[in-house]
Amino acid sequence: MSLKFSKEHEWVNAAQPEAAIVGITVHAQDALGDVVFVDLPAVGTTFQQGDVTGVVESVKAAADVFMPVTGEIVEVNEALRADPSLANTDPLGAGWFFKVKLSDPSQLDGLMDETAYGSFAASA
């Protein structure tokens, strides 16, 4: 799986640009603690890169979820809405937040690969 990471601690799996998968990173869920609520965007909504797309709330804090790439929401993870703890137990798998149809796939080039993100997260 080839993931790209944002400085706001979201990840993108763009193996399918028509439905790229977005979620929060292991680092983000570690910092948040136990996730108790997620506010997911509406299907059909278009966001620009950097826009706030939702909120994740934990027992410690609430944090905005940012759009790592410009595009249209094509699916949200209803299982995550029903069981927000999936963001903790499987943040890079079953805990995904939404799928987006990429408007500009070249934006992926501006995101970090796993090695660069690991260094970034360790220094944060």
Side-chain angles (χ1 to χ4, degrees):
M1 177 167 36
S2 178
L3 299 179
K4 293 288 194 161
F5 299 87
S6 72
K7 290 182 178 179
E8 293 78 29
H9 306 287
E10 285 82 27
W11 58 265
V12 181
N13 176 349
Q16 297 179 335
E18 297 296 309
I21 305 168
V22 176
I24 62 170
T25 65
V26 171
H27 176 83
Q29 69 84 28
D30 280 347
L32 284 166
D34 293 337
V35 175
V36 295
F37 175 79
V38 293
D39 178 28
L40 299 173
V43 171
T45 308
T46 299
F47 293 95
Q48 298 298 308
Q49 186 176 38
D51 285 353
V52 173
T53 59
V55 175
V56 58
E57 294 181 12
S58 73
V59 294
K60 292 200 278 188
D64 289 332
V65 177
F66 296 92
M67 183 64 116
V69 289
T70 299
E72 178 186 347
I73 304 298
V74 295
E75 185 179 343
V76 296
N77 187 351
E78 293 298 342
L80 180 66
R81 192 186 317 261
D83 182 5
S85 70
L86 289 171
N88 295 118
T89 58
D90 194 7
L92 302 180
W96 61 275
F97 278 57
F98 54 83
K99 294 183 181 180
V100 58
K101 180 179 178 182
L102 302 181
S103 297
D104 182 1
S106 70
Q107 289 178 333
L108 294 166
D109 297 335
L111 299 176
M112 294 175 273
D113 64 17
E114 192 167 359
T115 302
Y117 177 75
S119 297
F120 170 78
S123 67

